[in-house]
Amino acid sequence: MATYITQELPGILRKEFPFNGKMSITGHSMGGHGALVTFLRNPGMFVSCSAFAPICNPINCPWGQKAFSGYLGSDKKSWENWDATELMKKYNGPKTSILIDQGVEDGFYKQKQLLPEAFVAACKQKGHPVICRMQEGYDHSYYFVSTFMADHVWYHADMLYGETKYLS
């Protein structure tokens, strides 16, 4: 999936559409984790990054430990290369703000599977701007994503086109 997002898809865009080379990335849940990791592993490739209820620190949650041991093996040090919080601690790329929305009623959040606070702490430690909005009354559902999708579209549009309507 990583090479599709970072190599194949941009190639298709260049070939098939008028494309200025600017890209943004977003995702929800595991896709939010993928968006954060892809953004952090490819400094400067994306002008903006946002996520809905992302899994932010999988090496420190039960789900992530199970998945990483299954996919990546038992070398926990290697897991850091696929954990957004750990990647942020080492990140030295452009300090583009990252937008995260998290539903406070999200069952995965309540079970400590998502850990956005760890990611925000890593951003603060690195001096990297992050906007993490904790949304009262929202869970992990389509309704949550659809409610705040326009905000994410505007955020990316602002970053892609150099305006600051959303961030001001």
Side-chain angles (χ1 to χ4, degrees), residues 1 3 6 28 37-39 51 63 75-76 82 92 94 99-100 104 111-112 116 129 135 141 147-148 163 165:
M1 182 61 84
T3 56
T6 61
H28 172 240
V37 167
T38 303
F39 176 80
W63 171 89
D75 178 11
K76 293 184 179 183
W82 299 99
N92 289 313
L99 174 62
I100 295 173
V104 175
Q111 295 168 8
K112 306 284 188 214
Q135 304 292 359
S141 68
T147 299
F148 301 103
E163 299 180 20
K165 292 177 188 172

Side-chain angles (χ1 to χ4, degrees), residues 15 17-18 21 25 27 43 53 69 71 84 91 99 106 108 113 118-119 124 130 135 142 145 147:
K15 181 179 175 188
F17 300 99
I25 191 165
S69 63
Y71 288 113
Y91 183 74
L99 174 62
D106 183 327
F108 299 116
Q113 297 283 15
F119 184 76
K124 287 183 180 178
V130 61
Q135 304 292 359
Y142 167 80
V145 174
T147 299

Side-chain angles (χ1 to χ4, degrees), residues 6-125:
T6 61
Q7 296 172 22
E8 295 174 48
L9 185 58
I12 292 168
L13 292 172
R14 282 185 196 91
K15 181 179 175 188
E16 301 294 332
F17 300 99
F19 180 56
N20 65 7
K22 291 182 178 180
M23 297 184 293
S24 63
I25 191 165
T26 191
H28 172 240
S29 192
M30 174 57 86
H33 169 261
L36 292 171
V37 167
T38 303
F39 176 80
L40 294 166
R41 287 176 59 103
N42 298 279
M45 176 176 271
F46 301 95
V47 297
S48 56
C49 178
S50 74
F52 295 92
I55 300 160
C56 292
N57 194 200
I59 67 172
N60 286 316
C61 72
W63 171 89
Q65 293 165 357
K66 180 179 179 183
F68 278 14
S69 63
Y71 288 113
L72 302 173
S74 61
D75 178 11
K76 293 184 179 183
K77 188 73 176 157
S78 71
W79 296 2
E80 293 177 4
N81 295 321
W82 299 99
D83 182 296
T85 298
E86 297 302 317
L87 288 169
M88 177 52 74
K89 292 175 183 177
K90 302 172 190 170
Y91 183 74
N92 289 313
K95 292 196 176 190
T96 304
S97 71
I98 297 169
L99 174 62
I100 295 173
D101 273 301
Q102 174 62 61
V104 175
E105 301 306 316
D106 183 327
F108 299 116
Y109 172 70
K110 288 181 173 185
Q111 295 168 8
K112 306 284 188 214
Q113 297 283 15
L114 305 178
L115 305 173
E117 296 87 353
F119 184 76
V120 170
C123 288
K124 287 183 180 178
Q125 180 184 6

